Amino acid sequence: MSVQPQPWPQPDPQIAAAIRAMYQGKREAPLAVQVRDRLGELFPDAAFADAFGRAGKPGWSPGRLALVTVLQKAANLTDRQAADEVRENLAWKYALGLSLEDPGFDHSVLSEFRSRVVTHELEERALDLLLERLRELGLVDAGGGQRTDSTHIVAAVRDLNRLELAGESVRAALNALAAACPDWVEQVLVVEDWSRRYADRIDTWRLPTSKTKQDALALDYAKDGYTLLQAVYAHGSPAWLRELPAVQSLRIVLVQNYTRTTAGNGHIRVKRRERAEDGGDGLPPGPIRLASPYDTDARWSAKQDMFWNGYKLHVSETCHPQADGDRPARPNIITNVATTASTLPDSKALEAIHQALQRRRLLPARHYLDSGYPSAELIVGSAKTYGIALITPVLLDTSRQAKAQEGFAADDFTIDWDNQQAVCPAGKTSATWTPNIQNGVPKTVVTFAALDCIPCPFKEQCTSSRKNRRQLSLYPRELTEAIRDARNRQQTGTWQRDYALRAGVEGTIRQATHTTGLRRARYRGLPKTHLDHTTSATALNLIRLHSWWNGHPLDRVSHSHLARLQLSIAA
């Protein structure tokens, strides 16, 4: 398929006349019509031309396919429904510049378009183009405030326990081999025997209830898996079979869940891995442990009382303080979405978010975050590197004294960095000042003399150490002062009123999950899932612009009739 970038055709005169007749007066034109009228050719073909060849059969305009994909997410449609809208909906024909007789395209074109976009790493192109257009219109810019929060995304695969994962991995490899090279499978394996166990999904039949039988079945799956891999890696087997993704997934699942040793008599012993505190032959850590043979990017993760298999989504948007009832000068616009592994801590995602905002020239001056994002290094580093002030509650002192709010916490000590000493609240000066490395982080250990601490009348309020002396572990000066300053500021009413602006991002996440169905991934793999998220963010921005253009408040929270009655009574 080839693409020769061309300007979008102007709306067909017949369709434009029909649109004007239908939406004249006070009736508001649909989203698709207003997007074309106000934003013009939003996604030019040239921006997606790299994903298509220069020779061959001409394909559908990639820029217009990008708009179809965004409108599809705004209406939460399937590919088949979106293709029907292109053929039947006058508003969509108007936005795409199609004639009344245009037959549109087959729905499979959308799937192929997404695959090409992912293959050529253009997942963020549509969002980038929209944000650049809004920058030109003055609707979004660098500086000001932005807020970010994360939410869980459930992968588009079934949840499998360890036993089901082992069996399903063997089944997936068998099916992949049978599809890729059926003659080889027929020659090497007794198809009837393997089909008896692996023809149907493992989770469709009842597994044994006793642990003894489950362990025996797990070992059977492992032996079958090793037998299959041995056949694939045999000298006479085609080498390319080893590169099949399902075969590689099976190999990883076996390594992560089983050990195989050879005894002195040559007998091979297979054993299930179990959790081991000493790390010997134990299960691998969560970030690298496969959860499904069909989506090797999905991971099991837990957050408080939530446990899910999938990904994590970080949403960033602009935010503007406003008085009640006032129409905002600019709408809140989603400026970035980041899709990460579910096991990645929020603090590890913040640097990539700032880099993406810098690339779009949309870095905020104030970034509102919850307590899962900040660290002393990020607070200082964000200000130095990007000029961003992180407005976020930092974790309070976790020492015994601070938790009990009795006695002397670390913040009660005066640190004299120049003279490398600390002074306790009782006026005693530290005895030692020892820089070292703790868990890869440079710190300074400050110790007071036992001769000063033992007779001190405040000893019970200060330390319960068996060495009868107080000890402090300090970050470098810049980080320590930043943390202390942040802790002091977040106790003030002014800071708390300012920080209340962050709560609005939770409504944005709710709008994203309910309007575009983001809670459950539609596709498998991190790249395609991220494309779905950036397309959804682009669609949500258009929905917000449509509301703002027409002077409507963006109600991101839906209420039941009972809840509305309660709100009216309270008012």
Side-chain angles (χ1 to χ4, degrees):
M1 182 181 294
S2 67
V3 166
Q4 300 296 330
Q6 298 290 336
W8 289 16
Q10 291 299 317
D12 184 89
Q14 285 183 288
I15 296 178
I19 291 291
R20 286 194 298 270
M22 287 188 293
Y23 298 103
Q24 61 182 348
K26 295 183 178 180
R27 296 190 64 189
E28 297 171 0
L31 170 66
V33 173
Q34 294 201 29
V35 166
R36 181 60 193 265
D37 287 343
R38 293 177 180 270
L39 301 180
E41 184 180 339
L42 184 55
F43 306 128
D45 288 349
F48 298 90
D50 293 342
F52 298 85
R54 299 292 181 181
K57 181 180 178 180
W60 232 73
S61 161
R64 288 189 281 176
L65 282 177
L67 180 59
V68 171
T69 304
V70 172
L71 294 176
Q72 173 188 1
K73 292 300 296 185
N76 200 12
L77 303 176
T78 64
D79 287 353
R80 193 179 298 274
Q81 290 171 331
D84 290 340
E85 290 293 297
V86 172
R87 281 188 293 270
E88 302 167 2
N89 192 319
L90 289 183
W92 285 40
K93 285 182 176 291
Y94 180 92
L96 298 169
L98 300 179
S99 65
L100 199 58
E101 298 81 13
D102 194 292
F105 51 79
D106 186 79
H107 70 277
S108 61
V109 171
L110 291 173
S111 177
E112 182 180 351
F113 171 72
R114 290 192 298 268
S115 297
R116 286 180 176 270
V117 168
V118 169
T119 300
H120 291 80
E121 299 181 351
L122 300 176
E123 297 95 336
E124 300 190 0
R125 185 59 54 87
L127 181 59
D128 288 342
L129 291 171
L130 174 61
L131 292 174
E132 183 61 30
R133 183 76 177 106
L134 297 182
R135 272 176 46 84
E136 296 172 357
L137 297 175
L139 294 177
V140 66
D141 205 350
Q146 292 188 31
R147 51 197 177 196
T148 298
D149 201 4
S150 64
T151 188
H152 67 284
I153 304 296
V154 180
V157 292
R158 291 176 177 83
D159 294 340
L160 303 173
N161 57 36
R162 287 182 61 197
L163 178 59
E164 293 169 336
L165 174 62
E168 194 63 32
S169 297
V170 177
R171 177 177 175 270
L174 277 170
N175 282 319
L177 290 168
C181 195
D183 294 337
W184 177 87
V185 174
E186 185 179 0
Q187 293 174 4
V188 175
L189 304 177
V190 181
V191 176
E192 183 179 355
D193 293 344
W194 288 84
S195 180
R196 189 177 300 113
R197 175 172 289 177
Y198 297 105
D200 299 324
R201 292 200 318 266
I202 301 301
D203 61 347
T204 59
W205 53 281
R206 182 175 296 178
L207 297 176
T209 56
S210 70
K211 187 177 186 305
T212 301
K213 292 183 179 180
Q214 288 181 2
D215 291 342
L217 182 58
L219 293 179
D220 288 341
Y221 286 148
K223 292 175 182 177
D224 288 346
Y226 284 121
T227 300
L228 184 60
L229 289 180
Q230 185 176 359
V232 171
Y233 280 82
H235 179 70
S237 299
W240 59 270
L241 292 179
R242 307 169 192 175
E243 305 302 323
L244 293 176
V247 173
Q248 291 300 313
S249 296
L250 172 61
R251 186 182 63 82
I252 294 173
V253 167
L254 292 178
V255 170
Q256 291 184 345
N257 289 277
Y258 299 93
T259 59
R260 189 170 63 160
T261 57
T262 304
N265 58 2
H267 178 71
I268 297 177
R269 182 187 179 190
V270 178
K271 181 182 178 182
R272 294 184 77 184
R273 293 183 185 271
E274 302 295 344
R275 292 179 176 83
E277 295 182 359
D278 60 356
D281 290 338
L283 293 173
I288 64 172
R289 192 187 313 164
L290 292 189
S292 170
Y294 304 111
D295 188 345
T296 56
D297 293 329
R299 295 290 184 271
W300 283 105
S301 187
K303 184 176 182 180
Q304 297 177 354
D305 58 346
M306 187 182 303
F307 191 54
W308 80 97
N309 176 26
Y311 305 94
K312 190 182 289 186
L313 171 66
H314 303 262
V315 180
S316 303
E317 68 167 353
T318 60
C319 53
H320 312 286
Q322 63 183 82
D324 294 339
D326 290 348
R327 182 176 185 268
R330 295 190 292 184
N332 291 337
I333 297 296
I334 297 176
T335 55
N336 187 71
V337 287
T339 310
T340 68
S342 61
T343 53
L344 186 73
D346 290 352
S347 58
K348 300 295 184 182
L350 187 58
E351 176 66 18
I353 292 173
H354 285 164
Q355 290 177 358
L357 293 174
Q358 184 181 48
R359 175 177 59 82
R360 295 187 174 115
R361 296 178 292 174
L362 293 176
L363 282 173
R366 300 163 65 81
H367 200 169
Y368 296 82
L369 306 160
D370 66 18
S371 59
Y373 286 93
S375 65
E377 294 85 352
L378 286 174
I379 291 175
V380 173
S382 297
K384 273 188 172 182
T385 306
Y386 304 106
I388 300 175
L390 299 187
I391 312 301
T392 171
V394 298
L395 296 178
L396 299 177
D397 191 344
T398 57
S399 65
R400 173 183 62 83
Q401 299 89 337
K403 288 182 178 179
Q405 295 184 349
E406 295 178 356
F408 303 139
D411 289 351
D412 295 324
F413 289 71
T414 301
I415 310 300
D416 186 349
W417 297 95
D418 295 330
N419 295 316
Q420 297 188 347
Q421 61 185 15
V423 179
C424 74
K428 302 297 182 180
T429 302
S430 59
T432 63
W433 181 280
T434 309
N436 61 11
I437 303 294
Q438 298 180 11
N439 298 323
V441 178
K443 289 188 177 182
T444 299
V445 176
V446 180
T447 306
F448 288 81
L451 293 178
D452 288 333
C453 293
I454 291 175
C456 180
F458 305 108
K459 178 177 178 297
E460 296 300 324
Q461 300 172 265
C462 188
T463 182
S464 58
S465 171
R466 293 181 180 179
K467 296 182 180 180
N468 291 315
R469 60 184 183 183
R470 181 63 184 266
Q471 181 174 288
L472 303 176
S473 182
L474 304 175
Y475 283 99
R477 177 174 185 173
E478 194 173 25
L479 302 184
T480 299
E481 292 178 347
I483 286 292
R484 289 192 172 193
D485 181 60
R487 286 173 178 166
N488 291 332
R489 280 188 285 107
Q490 71 188 40
Q491 304 300 321
T492 65
T494 301
W495 185 93
Q496 293 173 4
R497 286 189 295 271
D498 182 32
Y499 182 69
L501 195 61
R502 189 212 69 88
V505 72
E506 296 176 2
T508 296
I509 289 178
R510 189 185 191 284
Q511 182 196 17
T513 56
H514 284 66
T515 302
T516 62
L518 282 187
R519 179 64 68 210
R520 180 172 290 276
R522 291 194 177 196
Y523 313 106
R524 295 172 181 173
L526 186 61
K528 279 195 174 182
T529 302
H530 182 54
L531 171 62
D532 189 47
H533 292 167
T534 56
T535 305
S536 298
T538 308
L540 291 173
N541 280 339
L542 293 183
I543 292 173
R544 293 178 171 199
L545 288 168
H546 187 248
S547 297
W548 186 76
W549 285 332
N550 295 286
H552 299 316
L554 184 61
D555 185 7
R556 292 175 292 187
V557 181
S558 60
H559 299 289
S560 65
H561 294 291
L562 182 61
R564 289 177 178 175
L565 176 60
Q566 180 184 1
L567 290 173
S568 64
I569 294 175

